[in-house]
Amino acid sequence: MIRAAAGAPLRLVRDIVGPTAVIAAGTMGAGAVASFLLAGAWFRYDLLWVVLVMLPVFVVSVDTASRIGACNPSEGMFALIRKRITPALAWALLLINVPVHLLIVMGQLSVMSSVVAATFGLPAPGSDAGGALLTDMVLSLAIAGAILWLVFSRGFDRMQNVMTVMMVLMFFCFLLVALRGFSEWRDILAGLVPAIPPDLAVPDTQTSRSTFVSITAMVGSAIAPAALLGMPYLAADSGVDPSGLKNAFRRAVVNLGLIFGAYAMFVVIAGGFALYPLVHHASLADVSEASRVLHGVFPERLAFLGPVVFSLGLFMAALTTLVVAAQVTAYFMLDTVGRQWRFASNNRSYHIIVAILVLGAAVLAPHWSFPALLKVVLLMGINVLVIPLVFVILLYLANSRDVMHDVRTEWWRNLILVVGLFLSLLLAAQKIPDYMAALFS
């Protein structure tokens, strides 16, 4: 019995490590933190139910993409789209994803530079303080260099293990931030019951915080095209094959369902407990601003730890998202043109693309004029508009015998994918007018 108890943590670690851990860590980005924290700050716990609704779609869609990769280890997702559907679609997705991922990498670098500058009392990036631009440039390049060393030093296995550790650390950082909020457990439980709260008016303005915009941002932060299109490559690189699909699904449930789901709820609870009671809670629009007032999540003597722990979690969230965005971009580009796309020490093309993307973003990021976190949140709008097409691709490939061979796609899996498609179309229809208005204004 003692041996079995001692082996339980080891079994849990084995269930966590894997390609779904990489995707889960990458999904826990600064944009996701922004969406969940502001949802709590604006609507308290009333939108917690959104997390429960989106988790089955998140788990099943990413696991389905993993199954496609496991059944086609020598062909990438874009090669399958090119051959089984049409080359035009593969190129269209590439042309959309590459610039979006560059902006995402820039946004995450800006977030990390801001956190480091604030932690060590350096001039804030983007401010008018003397030396702010130089500090931002140095920090961006230093962080980019450290990331490239992290990604390339020991290959795919080390990267996968590091991303798993980052995911677990983020989980505990946001758990600590949300801990005192559990004292309001009755209200938290009430927030798990689906209900649409009224829009929140912003004082002294003619604007309001839209409930549907918050729901869209929460769903868009979790179900992103990069995760679904990139998962087949990560699954193939990690050695998942058809015989290991059950274990892969269990890891998906643990990483994407339990860990990511709890993480999302912790952030909403932290926002609802520490920020919603503030008089100006409706005026909060930026996570960096919100994190400075997270003193109430710890006892009075330890109040200073709230922003520190939150900033640490935010830094790791930005780091993991940056790594995944850079990796999948290299996969997409190489696979579309028929080159070797695997993450291997002898694949110079892969290394060059990732290095150019990360270093190029580090050079450009300090000159970006929008707030760091605003960039990431806005880019989620693109994800919401593109994601219906990705769901159609998943449904088509997952039910193709030429692609899946002897692996059958279960009826319940198809049903959940159809639900995901329906939700993505509904959210896209809801947001298209807003995005068009923003584009032309």
Side-chain angles (χ1 to χ4, degrees):
M1 183 177 296
I2 295 177
R3 183 178 299 176
L10 294 177
R11 286 194 300 272
L12 179 60
V13 170
R14 286 197 299 270
D15 283 345
I16 292 176
V17 175
T20 52
V22 177
I23 288 294
T27 305
M28 293 180 182
V33 174
S35 300
F36 296 129
L37 186 73
L38 292 177
W42 295 339
F43 302 104
R44 201 174 177 222
Y45 310 128
D46 290 349
L47 295 182
L48 275 173
W49 61 269
V50 177
V51 178
L52 291 182
V53 170
M54 74 182 185
L55 282 179
V57 176
F58 186 35
V59 171
V60 171
S61 58
V62 173
D63 182 66
T64 301
S66 174
R67 288 159 66 94
I68 293 173
C71 293
N72 300 273
S74 60
E75 284 190 292
M77 187 69 159
F78 276 65
L80 290 172
I81 294 171
R82 191 176 67 246
K83 294 178 181 178
R84 306 294 179 184
I85 305 177
T86 174
L89 180 56
W91 280 102
L93 288 172
L94 181 70
L95 294 175
I96 291 172
N97 277 280
V98 170
V100 168
H101 289 181
L102 174 62
L103 293 177
I104 288 175
V105 172
M106 289 169 56
Q108 308 305 321
L109 278 170
S110 296
V111 170
M112 288 187 282
S113 296
S114 298
V115 169
V116 173
T119 302
F120 294 99
L122 302 174
S127 69
D128 296 328
L133 179 59
L134 178 61
T135 300
D136 196 7
M137 293 175 64
V138 172
L139 286 176
S140 293
L141 287 170
I143 292 170
I147 289 171
L148 291 175
W149 174 83
L150 171 68
V151 172
F152 294 146
S153 60
R154 295 289 180 85
F156 183 85
D157 288 339
R158 172 168 175 165
M159 182 279 301
Q160 186 170 256
N161 292 336
V162 169
M163 293 286 278
T164 302
V165 171
M166 289 282 189
M167 180 186 70
V168 174
L169 288 175
M170 282 189 285
F171 178 88
F172 283 108
C173 280
F174 290 116
L175 170 60
L176 287 174
V177 171
L179 210 53
R180 290 191 70 195
F182 292 129
S183 61
E184 299 178 342
W185 60 271
R186 290 184 178 85
D187 294 327
I188 291 172
L189 289 179
L192 297 176
V193 179
I196 305 294
D199 291 348
L200 177 67
V202 180
D204 302 322
T205 70
Q206 295 182 345
T207 61
S208 62
R209 304 303 182 192
S210 168
T211 306
F212 280 105
V213 168
S214 288
I215 294 173
T216 300
M218 293 171 73
V219 175
S221 67
I223 307 173
L228 302 184
L229 294 173
M231 188 62 196
Y233 299 97
L234 294 170
D237 260 341
S238 66
V240 177
D241 58 42
S243 65
L245 292 181
K246 288 185 178 180
N247 288 333
F249 182 68
R250 184 171 66 247
R251 289 190 177 98
V253 171
V254 172
N255 291 318
L256 306 177
L258 298 180
I259 295 180
F260 178 82
Y263 147 85
M265 288 189 177
F266 293 161
V267 179
V268 174
I269 290 169
F273 179 78
L275 302 179
Y276 181 83
L278 300 176
V279 175
H280 65 290
H281 73 103
S283 301
L284 295 173
D286 186 275
V287 170
S288 59
E289 176 189 357
S291 66
R292 288 195 293 269
V293 294
L294 278 171
H295 293 80
V297 297
F298 283 98
E300 186 175 349
R301 291 184 179 181
L302 301 176
F304 69 94
L305 285 177
V308 173
V309 174
F310 183 86
S311 295
L312 176 61
L314 187 61
F315 183 91
M316 289 186 291
L319 171 61
T320 53
T321 298
L322 187 154
V323 171
V324 171
Q327 282 189 281
V328 299
T329 303
Y331 285 139
F332 298 167
M333 294 177 68
L334 292 170
D335 190 30
T336 302
V337 298
R339 299 287 297 275
Q340 175 55 252
W341 49 264
R342 283 189 176 276
F343 184 172
S345 59
N346 60 351
N347 191 348
R348 289 179 55 83
S349 298
Y350 182 92
H351 289 206
I352 290 171
I353 290 175
V354 172
I356 290 176
L357 181 65
V358 174
L359 292 176
V363 172
L364 294 172
H367 305 286
W368 185 265
S369 59
F370 289 101
L373 288 161
L374 179 60
K375 292 183 268 186
V376 186
V377 176
L378 289 177
L379 287 169
M380 286 179 181
I382 300 174
N383 286 341
V384 170
L385 297 177
V386 174
I387 198 66
L389 179 60
V390 177
F391 269 105
V392 172
I393 293 170
L394 276 184
L395 281 163
Y396 178 81
L397 294 179
N399 289 280
S400 169
R401 281 297 185 91
D402 292 334
V403 173
M404 301 304 292
H405 309 297
D406 295 329
V407 175
R408 297 289 299 276
T409 299
E410 306 90 335
W411 67 267
W412 55 266
R413 185 182 296 272
N414 278 325
L415 178 61
I416 292 177
L417 290 175
V418 170
V419 170
L421 173 60
F422 175 77
L423 288 175
S424 64
L425 287 170
L426 184 65
L427 294 173
Q430 177 71 30
K431 288 307 300 170
I432 283 175
D434 294 336
Y435 292 131
M436 295 301 291
L439 178 64
F440 290 108
S441 63

